Amino acid sequence: RVTALRARIEQRFHHRVHDRDVDAAGTLTVRRPDRLRLLYADGRGLSIEGATYRAFEPSDAGLVHEGTLPDEAILDLLGVLAGATRVGDAFDVRALSPRAEGEVLEVRPRARSARWDRALLLVAADGSISSLLVVDPTGSWLRLRLFDVEYPRSMPSGELTLPVPDGATVVAP
């Protein structure tokens, strides 16, 4: 049974209103049931533990933002990556046209979400997810492509924590 995932990622965020794409690369670490960390090559980072998040962006005057996620459905979606959430338990799911790389599943939260409207998962024959596209209600989207995926048997908590850089200030709403 899978309890953790570690992968290299390529990310593209498309902002519909500004018709702008932002690309990033980094690493994704997930441990069931509810821990996640994204570290980007440019120094940005995000960690989630339960409903609590911590985010850092170097260009943001050295501030580390901490708070509570406003939407549990996004936690369930992230849990799918590490096998903590069974897709059919928390979402409405339908299969779209198969592709050479695997099956495409469209996933929608059963409860309306202000953060995301639907996700497309590219699922390989072995059940692993190689790509995730999340579309928000405004039409903006975020795509994560996973590479060099590992499923370690254990993972130290420190690997899931977002370190606070020296000189940074932690702020909460």
Side-chain angles (χ1 to χ4, degrees):
R1 188 167 187 190
V2 174
T3 60
L5 173 144
R6 183 183 304 120
R8 194 172 50 81
I9 62 153
E10 290 178 358
Q11 172 183 300
R12 171 166 283 173
F13 174 73
H14 174 76
H15 196 287
R16 187 193 64 78
V17 173
H18 299 293
D19 193 26
R20 177 173 47 123
D21 292 341
V22 178
D23 294 326
T27 58
L28 169 69
T29 309
V30 182
R31 185 176 75 192
R32 23 180 341 173
D34 61 356
R35 303 274 316 260
L36 171 135
R37 183 179 75 175
L38 276 166
L39 289 179
Y40 297 97
D42 64 4
R44 292 178 299 135
L46 169 73
S47 67
I48 297 172
E49 182 173 356
T52 303
Y53 73 89
R54 175 183 273 183
F56 176 72
E57 187 159 340
S59 64
D60 192 15
L63 298 177
V64 175
H65 298 271
E66 289 186 345
T68 302
L69 292 170
D71 189 344
E72 289 192 23
I74 196 70
L75 284 177
D76 287 336
L77 182 61
L78 295 171
V80 168
L81 292 174
T85 305
R86 288 182 16 180
V87 174
D89 289 348
F91 309 104
D92 291 323
V93 180
R94 72 180 178 121
L96 301 179
S97 301
R99 299 178 57 166
E101 307 89 29
E103 294 288 327
V104 177
L105 298 180
E106 180 184 54
V107 177
R108 291 183 181 267
R110 289 203 173 118
R112 185 167 168 83
S113 169
R115 300 286 177 200
W116 66 287
D117 181 58
R118 66 188 177 114
L120 300 178
L121 306 174
L122 180 59
V123 183
D126 66 0
S128 64
I129 297 170
S130 60
S131 183
L132 168 70
L133 177 75
V134 181
V135 181
D136 75 18
T138 70
S140 295
W141 52 263
L142 171 75
R143 183 186 64 219
L144 289 178
R145 290 192 175 149
L146 282 65
F147 302 93
D148 304 326
V149 179
E150 301 173 11
Y151 300 98
R153 292 199 181 276
S154 65
M155 184 176 296
S157 290
E159 193 169 339
L160 293 147
T161 303
L162 182 66
V164 177
D166 290 340
T169 302
V170 177
V171 294

